[in-house]
Amino acid sequence: MSAIESVLVENRVFPPSDAATRGARISGMAAYEALCKEAEKDFEGFWARLARENLDWTKPFTKTLNESSAPFYKWYEDGELNASANCLDKHIGTPVENKTAIVFEADDGSVSTVTYKDLLSRVARFANALKAQGIRKGDRVIVYMPMTIDGVVAMQACARIGATHSVVFGGFSAKALNERIIDAGAVSVITANFQMRGGKELPLKAIVDEAIGMGGCDTLRTVLVYMRTPSACNMVAGRDKTFEEVLKGQPDQCEPVSVNAEHPLFILYTSGSTGKPKGVQHSTGGYLLWASLTMQWTFDIRPEDVFWCTADIGWVTGHTYVAYGPLAVGATQVIFEGIPTYPNAGRFWQMIEKHKVTVFYTAPTAIRSLIKAAETDEKVHPKNWNLSSLRILGSVGEPINPEAWMWYHRNVGGERCPIVDTFWQTETGGHMITPLPGATPLVPGSCTLPLPGIIAAIVDESGKDLPNGSGGMLVVKRPWPSMIRTIWGDPERFKKSYFPPEMGGRIYLAGDGAVRDEQRGYFRITGRIDDVLNVSGHRLGTMEIESALVSKTDLVAEAAVVGRPDELTGEAICAFVVLKRPRPKGEEARQIASDLRNWVAKEIGPIAKPKDIRFGDNLPKTRSGKIMRRLLRSIAKGEAITQDTSTLENPAILEQLAEKN
Ligand code: WT7
C-alpha cells in the first residue's frame, strides 16, 4: 500500500493528553477556535494585537495592513524595530539574560554554551566589525557558514545593522554560490575555512574562492573567514580577513539600527519551476512576529524547555526555528554541527538524552533513515537512550508517511508526545498548517488545520473552492504577516509564480496539491503540483537540474528530469538524457552516468545528483515537439504505460528509456 493510499484509510486519531493540554498556550480546541473567530471578526485588529504584544517596536505602527498595491502587501508599514534587539536586548534585565541561549554540540561531540548576555556581546562585536568593513544598512551579505554559534552570530549581526543577509547552504556548489552573490549584489561573503561533518574536514573557503573566480561578483568587497579548524586556507590580500582580524579591538556594544517593518531582513534562494532559483525576500516586522508566535503556538515553548531544531541555517527552517524564533522567545536551544549518522545512527537519541531536549523538530527523511538504521542495528535503536525529557515532537519538510509517524510516536515520543506535522514553505516564513500540541487531535500523515488567521483552502484551476474529500490546489486566500514580499529583483516573477491572474491575482498559490478529509476538514498535503521536487526535504527544480545537465555541452544534447517516489528520500531524481554521441550501453553507460552525476554536483550541489540516469536516442515527444513528461514519470516509476501514446511522435523510444543501466 502506498503512503497516499494508507493515509486515505487512516482512522487512528490521537487526542491530546491531559498533560499536553494542561498549561498549554492554546489549550483545547475551543481556545483554537476562539482565536480563529477573533481573526475572522476583525482581521487587522487581530494581527495588530499580536504584533503589539509580541514585538518591541522602536516606533509603534499605526497601520496594520496595506493592500493597495496587492499582491505586494505591506504589514505594519509605518512601524520601526530591530530584529536582533527583539531576540537579544529584549531579554537583558530579565531572568533570561543569564540563561543559556545556545548549547552547541560540535561534530566531535564537544559542547560549548553561551548565555543570552554573552550572545548579545558577541553579536554586538561582530556587528561593529561589519560596520568597520564598510557594511551598511541595506547592503546584502552572503553567509556561507557551517552550523556553529558563529553562523547565528553572523545572521544576527547583519540584522543588527540593517544589512540583509542571504544564507547559502554549505552543501551548494561554487557555481550556485556565484549566481547568488551576483543576483543579490552582495558586498561581502561571511564564510569559514572548513566545515566538519561526519569526522571529515570539508572546504568552504576554497569554494568561495572558486565562486568569485567565476567572475561577475563586481559588488563584492570583502570575504570574512571564521577559522573553524586549525588548517590554513588561501587568503587574498586586501579582500579576505579572518574573524580574529576584524573583531580585534571592537567594543561589545552596538546600538541596533531601527528599520522599517518592511525592511528586508533576508533573502533566501529556493528552487522554482524555471532554471533560475528565486530570491525569496522576507520582511523584518511580520517575519519576526511569525517566528515568535509560532514558537509559542506550535511548540508551546515554556521557560524550562530545551528546544532542538535539527535544520541547517542554510534552509528557511534554520532561519525561523534556529536563528530567530528560539531567541525571540528566550528559549534554550541546541545547535548541532554534524550529521545524524556520525559516529553512528544513534547520535540524535544520544544528544536528546545528553541535553535533556524537551521539544525536538526534525524532517521525515531523517526519521526514515534512522528507522532503517535501527532496524538493521539494535544498538542505534532509540530504546537504548532515555528520552523521557521529550514533551513535543515536530516534523517538517515533506509529507510524513503514517508508518514513519507511528514509529516516531512510539519509539521516540514514548506514545506520550504530540507530533506537530508542520506544513509551510520558504515563502511562508513559518508554520501555516499544523496541529497545536495542546489542542488538536492528531491523525498520522495529516498536518491538520491552519493556524488562526491563516485562511487556507483547496481550489480548482479557476480558484473555486472544492468540497472536502476532493483533491485540488492548496491556496491561502488572505495575506499573513510573514509572507514572502517579492522575489529579489523580479517582482513580475513574484506575481506570476504566486498570485496567478486566473484566480484573480490576490490568492496565494502554494504549489502543492492537497485534500481535506470529510470528517474533520483536516488537510493532507499530496506533494508539489509544479516542476519542483522534494528530495530528502530539499527543494529542487526539475528545470534547474536539466539546465545543469545540458550545460555539459560537449556531451549532452537534451535532458528531461522527473521525480519518482522513494521510500527513503520521499522523491528521487530521475534524468532522461540524449547524448551528442550514440546511445551508450553497459559499462560505458554507467561510466557516463557517473560523470554526469558528478557534473550536476559541481553545478548545483551533491543534493541535486540524479539517482537514476537513463539514455535514449531521443525523448518521448508529441508531434509538436513537446516532451511528454507524464510518460517519463511512469517510466521512472517502472510502471507499464497505460496512457494514450497516440500523439507520440516516436513510441519506440519508450522501451529504450525503460532500460536501466
Ligand atoms: C515544500 C516547501 C517548510 C520548511 C522546509 C521546506 C513541502 C513542507 C511539509 C509538511 C507535507 C511539506 C511542501 C512545500 N512540505 N512541509 N509538513 N507536509 N509537505 O521548505 O524548501 O520551501 O519546501 O515542502 O511541498 O511546498 P521549502
Side-chain angles (χ1 to χ4, degrees), residues 49 69 92 124 178 206 275 291 321 374 393 433 516 529 545 599 618:
R49 171 176 80 75
S69 43
I92 301 307
N178 170 272
Y321 301 106
L393 300 176
I433 308 180
R516 303 183 72 159
I529 46 172
I545 305 167
W599 173 266
N618 205 336

Side-chain angles (χ1 to χ4, degrees), residues 71-298:
F72 299 94
Y73 296 96
K74 294 195 180 87
W75 286 90
Y76 317 116
E77 62 174 318
D78 60 345
E80 287 182 13
L81 76 168
N82 179 279
S84 149
N86 268 281
C87 292
L88 301 167
D89 307 59
K90 173 178 178 171
H91 306 303
I92 301 307
T94 79
V96 174
E97 78 173 13
N98 291 315
K99 181 176 172 178
T100 301
I102 299 173
V103 178
F104 173 68
E105 180 161 324
D107 189 60
D108 66 4
S110 57
V111 174
S112 45
T113 63
V114 59
T115 64
Y116 270 91
K117 209 170 166 182
D118 292 342
L119 187 61
L120 172 58
S121 300
R122 280 171 73 164
V123 168
R125 272 189 84 200
F126 201 76
N128 284 326
L130 293 178
K131 284 201 286 193
Q133 294 305 311
I135 299 169
R136 299 278 174 267
K137 175 179 166 185
D139 284 345
R140 274 82 58 208
V141 173
I142 299 275
V143 176
Y144 189 61
M145 288 275 280
M147 284 300 282
T148 46
I149 295 177
D150 297 80
V152 174
V153 168
M155 293 165 79
Q156 285 280 341
C158 288
R160 196 161 189 88
I161 64 170
T164 299
H165 57 70
S166 183
V167 185
V168 176
F169 175 55
F172 276 121
S173 68
K175 176 87 182 301
L177 182 58
N178 170 272
E179 284 166 3
R180 286 156 175 77
I181 295 171
I182 296 171
D183 191 81
V187 300
S188 184
V189 173
I190 303 176
T191 189
N193 61 341
F194 289 92
Q195 58 179 333
M196 292 301 303
R197 283 172 76 83
K200 289 198 205 84
E201 191 178 40
L202 305 171
L204 279 179
K205 175 60 168 58
I207 298 173
V208 173
D209 289 346
E210 196 188 335
I212 299 169
M214 289 172 167
C217 306
D218 306 330
T219 49
L220 194 75
R221 297 193 304 260
T222 57
V223 177
L224 309 181
V225 186
Y226 167 62
M227 298 303 280
R228 169 62 188 89
T229 68
S231 312
C233 66
N234 174 50
M235 296 292 278
V236 176
R239 186 195 74 185
D240 304 350
K241 298 180 181 92
T242 64
F243 273 27
E244 202 187 331
E245 283 173 81
V246 297
L247 285 168
K248 200 162 184 182
Q250 291 299 343
D252 63 2
Q253 291 199 4
C254 172
E255 195 54 36
V257 173
S258 259
V259 300
N260 184 274
E262 282 294 315
H263 182 71
L265 178 62
F266 67 88
I267 304 165
L268 184 60
Y269 287 86
T270 190
S271 298
S273 44
T274 71
K276 195 174 176 244
K278 309 188 256 202
V280 172
Q281 179 181 321
H282 276 288
S283 69
T284 300
Y287 172 79
L288 205 66
L289 170 64
W290 210 243
S292 165
L293 209 53
T294 50
M295 284 299 297
Q296 301 173 55
W297 282 353
T298 314

Side-chain angles (χ1 to χ4, degrees), residues 217-419:
C217 306
D218 306 330
T219 49
L220 194 75
R221 297 193 304 260
T222 57
V223 177
L224 309 181
V225 186
Y226 167 62
M227 298 303 280
R228 169 62 188 89
T229 68
S231 312
C233 66
N234 174 50
M235 296 292 278
V236 176
R239 186 195 74 185
D240 304 350
K241 298 180 181 92
T242 64
F243 273 27
E244 202 187 331
E245 283 173 81
V246 297
L247 285 168
K248 200 162 184 182
Q250 291 299 343
D252 63 2
Q253 291 199 4
C254 172
E255 195 54 36
V257 173
S258 259
V259 300
N260 184 274
E262 282 294 315
H263 182 71
L265 178 62
F266 67 88
I267 304 165
L268 184 60
Y269 287 86
T270 190
S271 298
S273 44
T274 71
K276 195 174 176 244
K278 309 188 256 202
V280 172
Q281 179 181 321
H282 276 288
S283 69
T284 300
Y287 172 79
L288 205 66
L289 170 64
W290 210 243
S292 165
L293 209 53
T294 50
M295 284 299 297
Q296 301 173 55
W297 282 353
T298 314
F299 296 124
D300 188 36
I301 204 83
R302 301 176 189 191
E304 60 281 10
D305 273 324
V306 177
F307 179 76
W308 182 19
C309 164
T310 64
D312 191 282
I313 52 168
W315 311 113
V316 73
T317 313
H319 282 60
T320 312
Y321 301 106
V322 177
Y324 291 104
L327 301 177
V329 297
T332 295
Q333 72 169 317
V334 174
I335 292 185
F336 176 42
E337 177 180 42
I339 55 172
T341 48
Y342 177 82
N344 61 52
R347 184 71 181 264
F348 275 4
W349 324 131
Q350 182 212 351
M351 282 181 62
I352 291 170
E353 177 185 282
K354 179 166 160 191
H355 302 295
K356 301 197 167 52
V357 173
T358 60
V359 181
F360 179 64
Y361 191 34
T362 196
T365 186
I367 298 166
R368 285 193 302 264
S369 74
L370 298 180
I371 293 176
K372 202 174 155 198
E375 279 170 357
T376 42
D377 180 4
E378 280 258 303
K379 287 198 291 299
V380 296
H381 192 282
K383 70 182 176 202
N384 298 295
W385 286 272
N386 178 356
L387 306 181
S388 62
S389 57
L390 286 171
R391 185 168 86 75
I392 292 171
L393 300 176
S395 171
V396 60
E398 50 182 317
I400 179 164
N401 45 309
E403 293 71 25
W405 195 102
M406 286 307 300
W407 188 91
Y408 196 29
H409 178 70
R410 260 188 217 125
N411 299 296
V412 184
E415 295 185 357
R416 159 190 93 247
C417 306
I419 298 178

Side-chain angles (χ1 to χ4, degrees), residues 4 8 457-475 503 509 511-518 521-529:
I4 297 296
L8 281 174
I458 295 175
V459 300
D460 66 13
E461 316 267 289
S462 64
K464 216 174 87 239
D465 276 323
L466 290 170
N468 289 354
S470 11
M473 296 187 269
L474 178 65
V475 297
M503 293 186 186
L509 182 69
D512 280 291
V515 57
R516 303 183 72 159
D517 71 29
E518 290 182 66
Y522 276 11
F523 287 76
R524 184 164 48 75
I525 308 297
T526 51
R528 300 288 309 195
I529 46 172

